Amino acid sequence: MPKRATLSEEIKAEALRLGFAQCGIARADAHDGRTALSEWLGDGNHGSMAWMEERAVQRAAPQSLWPEARSVIALGMSYAPAIDPLALADEGHIGRISVYAQGGDYHDTVKRNLKALARWMVERMPCELKVFVDTAPVMEKPLGAAAGLGWQGKHTNLVSRQEGSWLFLGCIMTTLELEPDAPHDDRCGNCDACQRACPTDAFPKPYRLDARRCISYLTIEHKGPIPHEFRHAMGNRIYGCDDCLAVCPWNKFADAARANKAFAPRAELVAPELADLLALDDAGFRAVFSGSPIKRIGRDRMVRNVCIAAGNSGDVSLRPALNRLSSDADEAVAEAARWALEELKG
């Protein structure tokens, strides 16, 4: 007789059927990040992300968030790009958007599939469970490492031997006692490609990110004017930065054909013209970025970022649009436009 699949194996098979690229299981007490998180927050590396500090106790370990949890099912969904994320680095008239934000909002897709897996579990094995993707105080990356999906690389993101650096992470906590997987070994070795690639030196040391220097943080989370010391380094990046991920050698194993089709890049977000983005008002912003994770930063933050890219572009044809924005109602936009005009004088 063929050997019957274990409960853990059945869950993994269903996860793959639902579109997840990877699924692993860890005990709920397999990771306790209190010390590392406390040190990171104590050094101010979270910048203005007050929510990181406010719920630090719950974030540190699964059972701090939900004491009844016994197992964590960690899941990864691929968004591996078909083209090199660094290909447009020298195209000054183009705004570069991080690969993860060029398609549909991952929050919606990952959560929908997590809920589908949760329903499947409850129908077959009565239990309590909770699903999480990015918006709750859960440390998905160390939990993914504990569940064997990969390891946290020197750039602090999860790296998979099969999917490289291109995984959206989510998890299901449950009261079930499931057979855990072995945690993944660190396979970075002596490689420091991600550290050398960072345009703003956002890594004070390997495995430690100072968000205050990170272009992803500056363009997405940071409100108000962007510090001048980082503006030239931003180049034409207007939403996020893929540099430290894109240079990881493990990405040679990532296959864009395995990426979830919900994250297929939208043509208008792959290589948007700065001139078009500088013209956006609130209604125009909402129309362009409907269904995208970019919509949450709002028009003002996006146009602020685009002004800085315009200042770095050397394209004097953008001056009229920048002149108009130099008196924008949002002072961060207006200040960035004035800075850009000064840059283009040169």
Side-chain angles (χ1 to χ4, degrees), residues 107-136:
H107 295 93
D108 299 334
T109 301
V110 175
K111 179 162 277 190
R112 181 168 58 249
N113 288 22
L114 285 174
K115 287 182 175 179
L117 180 58
R119 286 193 298 270
W120 179 91
M121 288 175 60
V122 170
E123 287 172 1
R124 283 155 183 78
M125 53 209 91
C127 63
E128 293 183 60
L129 46 75
K130 297 180 186 291
V131 303
F132 302 96
V133 53
D134 197 29
T135 53

Side-chain angles (χ1 to χ4, degrees), residues 27-41 51-66 72 136-144 146 152 173:
R27 289 172 50 90
D29 59 1
H31 172 74
D32 188 331
R34 280 177 289 191
T35 300
L37 181 59
S38 178
E39 290 177 358
W40 188 77
L41 292 170
W51 43 269
M52 293 286 293
E53 196 167 9
E54 289 165 358
R55 304 190 69 180
V57 173
Q58 292 174 307
R59 190 179 300 277
Q63 290 177 324
S64 297
L65 179 62
W66 188 29
V72 177
V138 175
M139 298 179 74
E140 291 99 342
K141 290 182 283 188
L143 286 174
Q152 276 193 269
M173 295 185 193

Side-chain angles (χ1 to χ4, degrees), residues 199-200 202 211 213-220 230 233-235 237 240-241:
T200 54
R213 302 185 64 86
C214 175
I215 290 176
S216 285
Y217 165 81
L218 292 168
T219 55
I220 300 171
F230 304 123
M234 285 172 60
R237 302 171 187 84
C241 178

Side-chain angles (χ1 to χ4, degrees), residues 27 51 73 76 105 168 178 192 240 250 272 279 339 344:
R27 289 172 50 90
W51 43 269
I73 304 165
D105 193 333
F168 290 127
L178 298 172
D192 64 350
W250 287 98
W339 176 86
L344 292 179

Side-chain angles (χ1 to χ4, degrees), residues 133-291:
V133 53
D134 197 29
T135 53
V138 175
M139 298 179 74
E140 291 99 342
K141 290 182 283 188
L143 286 174
L149 300 191
W151 67 97
Q152 276 193 269
K154 292 178 181 177
H155 51 28
T156 75
N157 288 284
L158 195 78
V159 184
S160 161
R161 294 178 68 182
Q162 294 78 33
E163 311 300 336
S165 303
W166 314 111
L167 282 175
F168 290 127
L169 301 176
C171 70
I172 298 176
M173 295 185 193
T174 177
T175 54
L176 291 171
E177 296 273 4
L178 298 172
E179 180 183 353
D181 293 290
H184 206 296
D185 294 332
D186 186 318
R187 298 295 181 92
C188 285
N190 294 323
C191 179
D192 64 350
C194 59
Q195 314 287 285
R196 290 183 285 108
C198 181
T200 54
D201 295 321
F203 300 104
K205 61 181 180 180
Y207 307 103
R208 175 66 65 90
L209 171 70
D210 184 347
R212 296 166 295 186
R213 302 185 64 86
C214 175
I215 290 176
S216 285
Y217 165 81
L218 292 168
T219 55
I220 300 171
E221 301 292 345
H222 179 72
K223 299 176 182 178
I226 289 176
H228 283 242
E229 64 179 301
F230 304 123
R231 294 187 180 188
H232 289 151
M234 285 172 60
N236 61 345
R237 302 171 187 84
I238 59 171
Y239 187 92
C241 178
D242 290 319
D243 291 30
C244 67
L245 302 181
V247 300
C248 179
W250 287 98
N251 286 332
K252 65 186 177 185
F253 299 108
D255 183 356
R258 292 199 297 267
N260 191 296
K261 290 180 172 52
F263 310 129
R266 289 161 44 181
E268 68 272 24
L269 301 185
V270 174
E273 295 280 345
L274 295 182
D276 294 336
L277 297 173
L278 288 171
L280 290 177
D281 57 12
D282 284 326
F285 173 85
R286 289 194 297 272
V288 171
F289 297 108
S290 174

